[in-house]
Amino acid sequence: MKDTYTLWKRGIMQAVDVEKIMEEIRREIEEKGYKEEDLHFKDIALNAEEPSGLRYSREDAERQLDYLSFHSDNPVFFPLSGNPVKTFVQRVVRRFFLFVIFPAFQFQNKHNATVTRFLKQSMNYMNENEALKERLDRQQEQIDRLLQEVERLKKGQE
């Protein structure tokens, strides 16, 4: 018996064959040479395009934080255009559900602003830590040079 589910995607009903998907997964596991006892999700190599597989990059983090700062506020209303009848119906529905939707948008926008502020503070903290690390590295180099000088002077006295 095949497991088939119906999925609505962009207004189109599509059949999803779960057994076919499972066969593809099994074939991929076999091709990669994974054994049953070797399979642990934390050990499987991630695709570099997946967010959890990315390494830290200051430039990427700053770019993403800028994007998040700019897009953290979700507008409750957006311009309606197109068919006048459709636009009218959308306006009526919008007003009818405003009392339900508006508080949710307010809550989400406050949450987004808080997360963005926290991420900015975290970025500032990381920048401060990098500056302190550079300073510490310079001081360690200076200590190493002074220790070498002390050793050289000790050998010169003997």
Side-chain angles (χ1 to χ4, degrees):
M1 176 182 165
K2 285 193 168 189
D3 294 326
T4 305
Y5 296 94
T6 303
L7 175 71
W8 283 90
K9 186 175 182 182
R10 295 184 183 172
I12 300 171
M13 187 169 57
Q14 297 178 339
V16 177
D17 187 353
V18 176
E19 192 58 37
K20 181 180 176 186
I21 294 171
M22 290 303 297
E23 286 174 15
E24 290 174 13
I25 292 171
R26 288 184 191 104
R27 187 175 55 248
E28 185 177 336
I29 289 172
E30 189 176 314
E31 287 173 1
K32 291 185 178 183
Y34 295 130
K35 297 177 188 141
E36 189 70 33
E37 60 273 2
D38 293 339
L39 292 178
H40 299 286
F41 286 110
K42 64 181 179 176
D43 297 333
I44 296 175
L46 295 174
N47 184 348
E49 294 176 357
E50 294 177 15
S52 59
L54 295 176
R55 294 222 178 261
Y56 172 75
S57 164
R58 173 190 284 234
E59 294 81 23
D60 286 344
E62 288 175 352
R63 188 174 29 253
Q64 290 170 0
L65 187 56
D66 289 342
Y67 176 86
L68 186 65
S69 298
F70 186 73
H71 291 83
S72 64
D73 188 41
N74 296 315
V76 177
F77 296 114
F78 48 90
L80 299 173
S81 62
N83 183 342
V85 174
K86 183 179 175 183
T87 303
F88 175 76
V89 171
Q90 287 176 334
R91 268 195 233 127
V92 170
V93 170
R94 183 186 278 180
R95 286 191 180 138
F96 187 68
F97 286 104
L98 180 63
F99 71 95
V100 174
I101 294 171
F102 190 68
F105 270 86
Q106 282 184 315
F107 175 80
Q108 186 63 50
N109 287 337
K110 285 179 184 177
H111 174 75
N112 292 350
T114 302
V115 169
T116 302
R117 253 191 320 276
F118 172 76
L119 290 173
K120 284 182 179 181
Q121 289 174 348
S122 297
M123 182 65 75
N124 290 338
Y125 182 74
M126 287 188 288
N127 291 338
E128 288 174 13
N129 279 348
E130 283 184 28
L132 288 173
K133 184 183 179 308
E134 289 172 7
R135 182 176 168 207
L136 184 62
D137 289 343
R138 285 192 307 270
Q139 288 177 344
Q140 186 62 46
E141 289 172 6
Q142 188 177 13
I143 289 171
D144 292 342
R145 281 194 306 270
L146 290 172
L147 286 174
Q148 289 174 354
E149 182 67 23
V150 167
E151 288 296 321
R152 189 183 63 75
L153 290 173
K154 281 183 181 178
K155 287 182 182 177
Q157 284 182 350
E158 293 177 0

